[in-house]
Amino acid sequence: MSLLFSSILFRFPPLSVSLITPECCHHNQQNLCSSPLSLYNKKCHRLSICYLSCRIAPTLIPFVTEFSTSLPSFPSTPFSVMVRQSLREYFSPPLHHGASTLNAAITSTSTSTSNDDDNNNMDLIWPFGKLENLDDGDVREAAYEIFFTACRSSPGFGGKSALSLNSSQDHQGKGDGGSSHSPRGPGLPGSSGGRVNAGPTSRIKRTLGLKMLKRSPSRRMSMSTVGLNNGPTGYTPTASPIHHAHVGSGSSYSPKRFSTMPPLRSPPSKSPPSKSPPSKSPPSRSPPTRPRRPLTSAEIMRQQMRDTEACENRLRRTLMRTLVGQVGRRSETIILPLELLRHLKPSEFSDMQEYHFWQRRQLKILEAGLLNHPSIHIEKSNSLAVRLREIIRASDTKPIDTSKSSETLRTLCNCVVSLAWRSANGVSSDVCHWADGFPLNIHIYISLLKAIFDIRDETLVLDEVDELLELMKKTWSTLGINRPIHNICFTWVLFQQYVVTNQMEPDLLGAAYNMLTEVATDAKKPNREVSYVKLLSSMLVSMQKWAEKRLLHYHEYFNKQTIGGVENLLSLALSSMKILGEDVTIMEGEGNKKGDTMLVDSTTGRVDHYIRSSLKTAFAKITANENVRNATTGEGAEASEALLQLANETEELAMRERGLFSPTLKRWHPTATGVAVVTLHQCYGKVLKQYLAGMSILNNEAVVVLQRAARLEQVLVQMVLEDYEEFEDGGKGIVREMMPYEVDSIIMKLLRQWIDERLKQGKELLCRAKETETWNAKSKSEPHAQSAVELMNIAKEMVNDFFEIPIGVTDDSVLDLAEGLEQLIQEYITFVASCGSKQSYLPSLPPLTRCNRDSRFFKLWRKAHPCIVGVAGVKSFMVSEGEMPRPSTSRGTQRLYIRLNTLHYLTSHLHSLDKTLNLSPRVSMRNRSTRHRDNTSYSYFEHTTTSIQLACDHISEVAAYRLIFLDSSPVFYDTLYVNGASNSRIKPAIRILKQNLNLLTSMLTDRTQALAMKDVMKASFEAFLMVLLAGGTSRAFNQSDHEMFEEDFDGLKRVFCTCGEGLLSEDAVQREAEIVEGVISLMAQTTEQLVEDFAIAACETSGISSIGSGQKLPMPPTTGRWNRSDPNTILRVLCHRNDRAANSFLKKSFQLAKRK
């Protein structure tokens, strides 16, 4: 048996073993069983190696494995493995789903992939969505069926009597699909014939920078043979990198006769032809040969897609039956899986199991295209969809009946046709939607695009890529693909192929980058569809994430041999970033969640980030050493030795960066070396700082470490200066950013301890103040809290003592002192400002009601008091009875005034401290930082001053609202205009307000009076507005009341214009009064005009153009920002309008309740 198999292997090329498919085995199984020795199929001209895998392979596996390793053309995958694995397992990677990653690189027939390389590709995310119940083989077979149908009328696809089958893509004149007259990008060739030229030259490959395969014209040829040569060594394997097809004898070529197996041909004879007369011996058995011809695009595509002859014959028969009497029918109008199910019967398959598997695949394609991923949304409750899903589920256990009389088939046809010919708007359409839904169409189209890679060496693109892509274009109309989407898919396929082949071919990455220029052009076009934007952003994010993982750790992924990959990968990552940043709007929540969103920087900024990140990672890898980790927390010789070794390795890393990576990175970042050096300087400085922080005394080991750190710093600084020598400052600016290592650690440590100890005294004072401070002034000359005086005394004493310390005072130490004081004072400011908010004093808004002139309350009131003397009038009289009413300012409000004075006291003393720190002679100009030399007005307490101003604003506002809405409420908000505008006017409230303002000016310091007065004015105006608009059920107004309102408000304004000596100008008062005056003007309008204005404002606010008959006005929201154009403000004026028209409108429009 081993002898027999050895002769077979010599007679037939081992290449054919790797190319046999399970379908072929299954197709010829019956013939092999009946004729075991018929290893040569005359009809197909191919080796029936399936017999070996079915019958004798188990016995011959040891011999074949040993023998195959000695043949140079035999694949690297052992035969014993190949006969056990299916076509789908051997040739194809897993189908990528959603956010899942590539499980492994595509297995190559010429090279084996290591586990390390597989892990290197695990992080490329498949961006085009998930397909359920469909694997890569199912998608590939469906893709070839669609491709064959769309190209049926192209040369090389037709049978002896080609049918007329058109694609709408062939007749497009404009649009994304392109036309014969439109310019084409690098990923879309011009039209060419179906036959491949003998010496192909690819425009696409030249444009994308891909090298030609440089095959001779005979490398991809096919010839006709009718027999086999004698002898075990009579066959010479073909050198073509793809499977060859050949034709049988005859004058015309028939696609039914060509095979996916390599042609069997005899080697040319090396001896000269014999001139002797013919002998009488039996005639030679050498087959006559026909001249070889180039393979057609159809043959190449069939080989690339690994389709079997049996499958193609069934597909051809289906199209013949489908198109009978339908000349000129467009391919996109054919629901191909349905036609296959209708016209192919179980008898056309080798057995029922094969038919069932095939039928399930067709039904799964229909399920994916019509139910799971339709291009036009369909409800799950749709009866057609429900019935179709039932039929598909029923086929899981057994094949469905597809005979002509089958009710199931009729139902299936009805459901599929009805669902496929739907349109989005319900109007009849001539477009059939069964394979153009996302992501099914993208999966299918990408499966087609993968056919451009040589199946013998998947790092290479076929020279015939132009013709193949032109044929693939015919599927666009069926799959819903256009030129921009094609460019996206083609870019992804090139990039993915580079990744899954373990980045062995840099040309693929360069081609993907070149295609991104086309994608960028497409992305800039206006009126892009949302689906296109999502597709583009998903692809770019996936590509960029994969690229950035390597760029952020390029010291780990690249070395001297692979440094060229940095330039290509960086170009692609930056191009993707640019498109994402400028051309694509990424919606929040799609891969760009806030924590996951890429922040698009400038090119230089992004490269800067890559440099810093990679060097930090490389440095962290060095410091992962246990000795270095212990050195940061320990003392002694071991810790010092570890720091010395770390300095040496840091210097080596800087030299490697400058010599290997910086020359490439300088193309995008002119100071790449400087950034890298600064990063390393910072990294080592952090470790050194940790080491010094753990020291209690300065010893010899620490001196050695500091001296080595100084030498390292000198080397790094020199590298920075050399990198910046072409710039104006020569790199001095970035050198100043490098925190120096030459620090007297002992002195600085003691100085910091001293600062912390003195600051602790201030914190203790703050804690006592929080417990005991009563916010009472010590005297009229000191109208502030005593705790503030004590705090400022501690700060002044601390600053004076600091400059008495006999050390070289640096600006850094002064800054440490100032920051400590600032933090302490900030805490005190927060304590002072913790006095609540104005919201706690504002009354809650009463519910909206409509006035009721005949309510029970008013009837009883008029019966009891015919003269209509209101309670408010009595209160007003009582208040105005005395000649000099007392102010109503409570003790709580007065304590708020003390808080304001305290903050002003802090401001004045902070200025004195700041001046001392800035102008002290102990800090020489040489030691001062650049910010002080360039800016004489620099303040150490700038943030503190800002915080004090914010705290003053807050306290002043709270004091004003407390004064108006709490202290003055009995004479203002609670009684003003209650039970009629004429019954309770504002004069009593104004008299009390004047007294309160006099008290305010007497308690507050001069610089805080204006702020407090302005806030009281705002609170008073808001209280007046709330009386008019949110006065509750006790207030009802007539149109004629607006004159009294104007008069009263003018009196209120005069109070703030005249109180104090010019604290508030008339212009300032008028600006604040404009809103109130606008509301008063609304109250002067008639009810009809108010209703009309309200309708207009409500429609504008809600975005409604007009209100139709029977349509109600929307209830406007209460924003609290009242003005005359606010619909809620107008509505409140109507609610307080005491007339029948307003009452009727409110009842009809909003069903507001009557006042009780």
Side-chain angles (χ1 to χ4, degrees):
M1 182 64 72
S2 62
L3 211 63
L4 171 62
F5 190 69
S6 299
S7 64
I8 293 172
L9 290 174
F10 274 110
R11 193 173 185 84
F12 302 99
L15 177 61
S16 60
V17 176
S18 66
L19 301 179
I20 196 66
T21 65
E23 288 82 358
C24 297
C25 298
H26 198 65
H27 180 68
N28 295 321
Q29 188 174 5
Q30 294 178 348
N31 294 334
L32 290 172
C33 294
S34 61
S35 180
L37 298 180
S38 180
L39 298 179
Y40 179 71
N41 189 331
K42 293 183 180 181
K43 178 179 180 181
C44 300
H45 288 260
R46 62 181 170 183
L47 175 64
S48 299
I49 199 66
C50 54
Y51 176 78
L52 297 176
S53 62
C54 297
R55 298 292 186 186
I56 65 176
T59 306
L60 295 183
I61 282 176
F63 300 95
V64 174
T65 304
E66 179 180 359
F67 177 78
S68 62
T69 57
S70 64
L71 296 177
S73 62
F74 201 81
S76 60
T77 305
F79 180 82
S80 59
V81 177
M82 291 164 54
V83 298
R84 288 186 176 96
Q85 72 181 151
S86 66
L87 173 67
R88 184 174 301 132
E89 294 169 339
Y90 182 69
F91 281 108
S92 304
L95 191 64
H96 312 290
H97 297 313
S100 64
T101 56
L102 296 173
N103 295 326
I106 297 179
T107 307
S108 172
T109 58
S110 59
T111 59
S112 62
T113 306
S114 67
N115 292 333
D116 292 340
D117 290 336
D118 288 344
N119 294 333
N120 196 34
N121 302 321
M122 291 286 288
D123 51 352
L124 179 61
I125 299 174
W126 173 262
F128 300 124
K130 178 182 178 181
L131 288 181
E132 298 179 355
N133 302 324
L134 286 173
D135 58 20
D136 196 34
D138 296 334
V139 174
R140 187 184 66 250
E141 292 175 21
Y144 184 73
E145 291 170 353
I146 295 174
F147 173 81
F148 186 90
T149 303
C151 301
R152 186 66 180 88
S153 60
S154 301
F157 286 88
K160 294 181 179 180
S161 57
L163 296 174
S164 176
L165 183 63
N166 300 323
S167 170
S168 64
Q169 201 64 39
D170 300 331
H171 304 290
Q172 284 182 334
K174 296 181 180 180
D176 289 334
S179 67
S180 59
H181 302 290
S182 62
R184 298 172 181 269
L188 201 58
S191 178
S192 63
R195 188 174 299 279
V196 178
N197 297 328
T201 58
S202 171
R203 182 186 66 84
I204 290 179
K205 295 185 72 172
R206 288 198 307 272
T207 305
L208 297 180
L210 296 170
K211 56 179 175 289
M212 302 297 292
L213 302 186
K214 298 181 180 180
R215 297 189 178 93
S216 64
S218 62
R219 295 294 292 273
R220 193 173 287 124
M221 297 288 188
S222 179
M223 67 178 183
S224 299
T225 60
V226 293
L228 293 170
N229 288 342
N230 292 327
T233 61
Y235 176 75
T236 301
T238 178
S240 174
I242 62 172
H243 313 325
H244 287 208
H246 61 282
V247 296
S249 60
S251 58
S252 63
Y253 166 71
S254 172
K256 296 183 180 181
R257 305 288 298 276
F258 80 85
S259 170
T260 59
M261 300 302 297
L264 303 178
R265 55 187 175 88
S266 301
S269 176
K270 296 183 180 180
S271 59
S274 175
K275 297 183 180 180
S276 60
S279 64
K280 296 182 181 180
S281 59
S284 173
R285 298 177 61 185
S286 298
T289 62
R290 296 173 112 349
R292 293 177 298 173
R293 61 161 180 81
L295 292 180
T296 64
S297 299
E299 294 169 325
I300 294 175
M301 192 64 184
R302 174 180 164 187
Q303 294 173 4
Q304 291 293 107
M305 296 296 288
R306 301 186 286 278
D307 190 60
T308 64
E309 183 179 0
C311 295
E312 187 168 307
N313 287 338
R314 289 195 291 265
L315 182 59
R316 183 179 290 107
R317 288 195 299 271
T318 299
L319 292 177
M320 293 280 290
R321 298 165 184 170
T322 301
L323 300 175
V324 171
Q326 301 185 48
V327 177
R329 181 177 178 182
R330 301 198 311 272
S331 60
E332 61 268 24
T333 63
I334 298 177
I335 308 175
L336 188 58
L338 180 62
E339 298 299 337
L340 289 170
L341 291 171
R342 288 179 56 225
H343 294 293
L344 294 181
K345 306 305 177 185
S347 60
E348 302 183 55
F349 295 82
S350 59
D351 56 29
M352 184 57 69
Q353 183 179 1
E354 180 187 5
Y355 173 73
H356 188 200
F357 179 82
W358 172 88
Q359 186 187 82
R360 284 287 300 134
R361 178 173 65 82
Q362 302 298 338
L363 290 173
K364 286 190 291 184
I365 293 295
L366 287 176
E367 181 182 26
L370 297 176
L371 301 180
N372 296 340
H373 310 286
S375 61
I376 301 174
H377 178 70
I378 184 173
E379 298 292 338
K380 290 185 177 181
S381 59
N382 185 288
S383 59
L384 296 172
V386 172
R387 183 58 184 138
L388 177 58
R389 202 179 297 275
E390 291 174 354
I391 295 174
I392 294 173
R393 294 293 173 266
S395 68
D396 290 341
T397 55
K398 64 178 181 179
I400 63 173
D401 183 11
T402 58
S403 60
K404 293 183 179 179
S405 59
S406 170
E407 181 64 29
T408 302
L409 180 61
R410 283 195 296 271
T411 304
L412 176 67
C413 293
N414 179 52
C415 294
V416 170
V417 171
S418 300
L419 293 174
W421 286 96
R422 292 181 305 119
S423 62
N425 52 10
V427 181
S428 60
S429 172
D430 60 347
V431 180
C432 181
H433 304 279
W434 68 274
D436 56 349
F438 176 83
L440 176 63
N441 59 341
I442 303 299
H443 279 264
I444 292 175
Y445 192 63
I446 286 180
S447 182
L448 284 176
L449 290 176
K450 288 180 181 179
I452 67 173
F453 299 105
D454 196 325
I455 58 176
R456 286 290 302 276
D457 185 352
E458 293 180 333
T459 63
L460 302 177
V461 175
L462 297 179
D463 291 342
E464 297 81 5
V465 61
D466 297 61
E467 291 83 359
L468 297 182
L469 288 180
E470 184 64 26
L471 292 175
M472 294 178 194
K473 181 182 174 183
K474 296 179 181 293
T475 66
W476 287 8
S477 55
T478 301
L479 298 177
I481 303 294
N482 53 30
R483 183 191 299 273
I485 294 179
H486 161 81
N487 289 340
I488 291 176
C489 296
F490 194 46
T491 303
W492 172 258
V493 166
L494 292 170
F495 180 74
Q496 182 193 42
Q497 197 69 11
Y498 168 75
V499 173
V500 299
T501 54
N502 300 307
Q503 305 106 57
M504 295 173 59
E505 181 52 70
D507 286 352
L508 289 176
L509 184 60
Y513 169 70
N514 291 331
M515 276 303 302
L516 272 183
T517 59
E518 289 292 310
V519 173
T521 302
D522 295 336
K524 292 178 181 178
K525 295 178 181 178
N527 301 325
R528 297 166 301 177
E529 296 181 355
V530 176
S531 58
Y532 169 78
V533 173
K534 291 182 178 179
L535 188 71
L536 175 59
S537 61
S538 299
M539 181 199 71
L540 292 176
V541 168
S542 177
M543 292 172 62
Q544 191 178 18
K545 283 185 177 179
W546 187 90
E548 286 206 332
K549 179 179 180 181
R550 282 140 186 84
L551 292 173
L552 291 170
H553 309 84
Y554 60 75
H555 279 273
E556 177 182 349
Y557 285 94
F558 298 96
N559 51 40
K560 188 174 182 180
Q561 288 72 31
T562 60
I563 185 61
V566 175
E567 182 174 0
N568 293 334
L569 200 60
L570 190 55
S571 299
L572 183 136
L574 294 176
S575 180
S576 300
M577 180 195 72
K578 182 178 180 182
I579 299 173
L580 283 171
E582 296 180 358
D583 306 319
V584 176
T585 301
I586 301 180
M587 285 171 264
E588 186 177 353
E590 293 188 29
N592 263 315
K593 292 174 285 204
K594 199 66 179 173
D596 194 42
T597 300
M598 291 177 304
L599 300 178
V600 180
D601 306 349
S602 64
T603 298
T604 303
R606 202 64 191 165
V607 176
D608 185 286
H609 177 58
Y610 297 151
I611 296 172
R612 295 179 186 274
S613 175
S614 183
L615 283 167
K616 287 178 181 178
T617 304
F619 187 85
K621 191 173 182 181
I622 298 174
T623 56
N625 186 294
E626 184 177 356
N627 292 333
V628 178
R629 290 201 306 269
N630 295 334
T632 59
T633 57
E635 299 182 31
E638 293 182 0
S640 301
E641 187 64 28
L643 263 293
L644 293 175
Q645 180 63 27
L646 178 61
N648 294 334
E649 294 185 13
T650 302
E651 185 173 341
E652 293 175 1
L653 182 59
M655 293 296 183
R656 180 171 182 262
E657 173 72 20
R658 183 177 67 170
L660 186 59
F661 296 103
S662 292
T664 299
L665 297 174
K666 280 188 176 182
R667 175 182 169 187
W668 293 274
H669 198 305
T671 58
T673 303
V675 172
V677 169
V678 170
T679 302
L680 287 176
H681 184 273
Q682 294 172 350
C683 291
Y684 187 81
K686 290 180 180 178
V687 177
L688 182 64
K689 184 177 179 181
Q690 293 174 4
Y691 166 76
L692 295 176
M695 293 179 54
S696 58
I697 58 173
L698 191 64
N699 50 37
N700 293 335
E701 290 81 5
V703 171
V704 174
V705 170
L706 288 172
Q707 290 176 347
R708 182 64 185 93
R711 292 196 300 272
L712 172 64
E713 184 177 42
Q714 186 177 3
V715 172
L716 296 180
V717 169
Q718 184 61 32
M719 292 173 64
V720 171
L721 295 177
E722 292 175 0
D723 193 46
Y724 277 79
E725 61 184 5
E726 298 180 359
F727 292 80
E728 293 181 0
D729 64 348
K732 296 180 181 178
I734 194 169
V735 168
R736 283 192 292 267
E737 295 179 10
M738 302 168 67
M739 297 296 293
Y741 299 156
E742 295 177 329
V743 178
D744 192 341
S745 59
I746 299 297
I747 295 178
M748 293 303 299
K749 180 178 180 180
L750 294 175
L751 185 59
R752 291 192 184 95
Q753 289 178 352
W754 180 87
I755 293 175
D756 292 340
E757 189 67 26
R758 299 298 293 267
L759 288 175
K760 189 180 296 183
Q761 299 178 14
K763 292 180 179 179
E764 292 174 356
L765 170 65
L766 179 60
C767 292
R768 290 197 306 269
K770 290 180 179 180
E771 297 176 358
T772 61
E773 183 60 64
T774 60
W775 304 112
N776 292 319
K778 184 177 180 181
S779 64
K780 289 186 177 181
S781 60
E782 297 181 3
H784 43 258
Q786 188 63 27
S787 58
V789 177
E790 297 175 4
L791 180 65
M792 287 296 100
N793 289 336
I794 289 177
K796 288 179 182 180
E797 183 180 357
M798 184 175 179
V799 171
N800 293 333
D801 293 345
F802 174 82
F803 288 112
E804 293 296 328
I805 299 175
I807 62 172
V809 179
T810 63
D811 185 66
D812 290 333
S813 60
V814 175
L815 187 61
D816 290 339
L817 174 64
E819 288 178 350
L821 289 173
E822 188 173 37
Q823 182 179 2
L824 177 64
I825 297 172
Q826 285 276 16
E827 292 182 12
Y828 185 78
I829 294 170
T830 302
F831 166 58
V832 175
S834 57
C835 57
S837 66
K838 70 173 186 178
Q839 301 299 328
S840 58
Y841 301 109
L842 282 172
S844 59
L845 297 179
L848 293 177
T849 57
R850 52 194 174 95
C851 291
N852 183 10
R853 301 182 65 182
D854 298 325
S855 66
R856 184 182 305 171
F857 173 79
F858 280 104
K859 289 179 179 180
L860 293 175
W861 184 264
R862 285 196 298 268
K863 185 176 181 180
H865 305 277
C867 295
I868 318 179
V869 178
V871 177
V874 176
K875 287 187 177 181
S876 300
F877 176 77
M878 291 174 63
V879 171
S880 59
E881 203 174 47
E883 296 181 357
M884 291 294 295
R886 299 179 61 185
S888 62
T889 305
S890 63
R891 292 294 298 171
T893 306
Q894 295 177 30
R895 292 189 181 98
L896 293 176
Y897 295 159
I898 301 300
R899 291 176 187 251
L900 280 176
N901 291 336
T902 302
L903 292 176
H904 172 67
Y905 176 82
L906 292 178
T907 301
S908 60
H909 284 73
L910 278 179
H911 177 72
S912 176
L913 285 177
D914 202 13
K915 186 176 180 180
T916 303
L917 293 174
N918 274 291
L919 303 179
S920 174
R922 291 296 311 279
V923 184
S924 63
M925 291 300 297
R926 181 174 57 86
N927 289 333
R928 290 192 183 274
S929 62
T930 305
R931 61 177 175 269
H932 292 96
R933 292 196 294 267
D934 296 343
N935 186 7
T936 56
S937 62
Y938 176 81
S939 173
Y940 285 100
F941 302 106
E942 182 177 357
H943 296 297
T944 304
T945 305
T946 303
S947 299
I948 290 177
Q949 185 59 48
L950 294 176
C952 286
D953 293 340
H954 174 69
I955 296 174
S956 176
E957 183 181 55
V958 173
Y961 276 77
R962 177 185 173 92
L963 176 66
I964 298 301
F965 286 96
L966 180 64
D967 301 344
S968 303
S969 181
V971 295
F972 203 153
Y973 180 75
D974 291 346
T975 59
L976 185 61
Y977 302 146
V978 170
N979 297 328
S982 60
N983 294 332
S984 52
R985 302 289 293 274
I986 201 172
K987 287 184 180 181
I990 289 177
R991 296 184 64 186
I992 295 296
L993 179 60
K994 288 181 179 180
Q995 296 301 319
N996 290 333
L997 293 179
N998 290 332
L999 179 62
L1000 179 148
T1001 56
S1002 65
M1003 291 188 66
L1004 292 177
T1005 58
D1006 295 341
R1007 294 192 177 184
T1008 57
Q1009 290 178 8
L1011 175 63
M1013 185 76 71
K1014 184 177 181 180
D1015 285 331
V1016 172
M1017 177 184 66
K1018 291 181 180 180
S1020 300
F1021 289 176
E1022 185 167 352
F1024 192 84
L1025 270 179
M1026 292 189 67
V1027 168
L1028 299 181
L1029 300 176
T1033 58
S1034 61
R1035 292 182 174 97
F1037 309 125
N1038 298 317
Q1039 180 183 357
S1040 60
D1041 294 339
H1042 76 277
E1043 295 179 354
M1044 288 183 288
F1045 298 153
E1046 292 176 356
E1047 180 182 349
D1048 288 350
F1049 187 66
D1050 288 340
L1052 184 61
K1053 289 193 298 182
R1054 283 194 299 272
V1055 171
F1056 295 101
C1057 292
T1058 59
C1059 190
E1061 298 179 357
L1063 293 178
L1064 295 177
S1065 65
E1066 293 186 4
D1067 293 338
V1069 174
Q1070 186 59 38
R1071 282 195 300 269
E1072 293 295 333
E1074 287 178 354
I1075 295 177
V1076 182
E1077 291 174 347
V1079 173
I1080 294 175
S1081 65
L1082 281 177
M1083 306 190 78
Q1085 295 179 1
T1086 63
T1087 302
E1088 291 75 14
Q1089 184 62 42
L1090 288 173
V1091 170
E1092 182 179 351
D1093 292 348
F1094 171 75
I1096 295 173
C1099 291
E1100 291 178 353
T1101 304
S1102 59
I1104 302 174
S1105 59
S1106 61
I1107 300 297
S1109 59
Q1111 191 174 3
K1112 293 184 178 181
L1113 287 169
M1115 172 67 76
T1118 301
T1119 62
R1121 295 185 294 271
W1122 291 325
N1123 59 80
R1124 63 168 300 149
S1125 60
D1126 175 41
N1128 185 264
T1129 303
I1130 302 174
L1131 179 62
R1132 288 179 176 275
V1133 173
L1134 287 171
C1135 289
H1136 288 77
R1137 178 60 60 88
N1138 190 18
D1139 63 20
R1140 189 175 303 278
N1143 185 25
S1144 176
F1145 169 75
L1146 295 174
K1147 178 180 180 181
K1148 180 179 180 182
S1149 299
F1150 304 108
Q1151 288 79 43
L1152 294 182
K1154 290 183 180 180
R1155 298 183 182 180
K1156 297 181 180 179

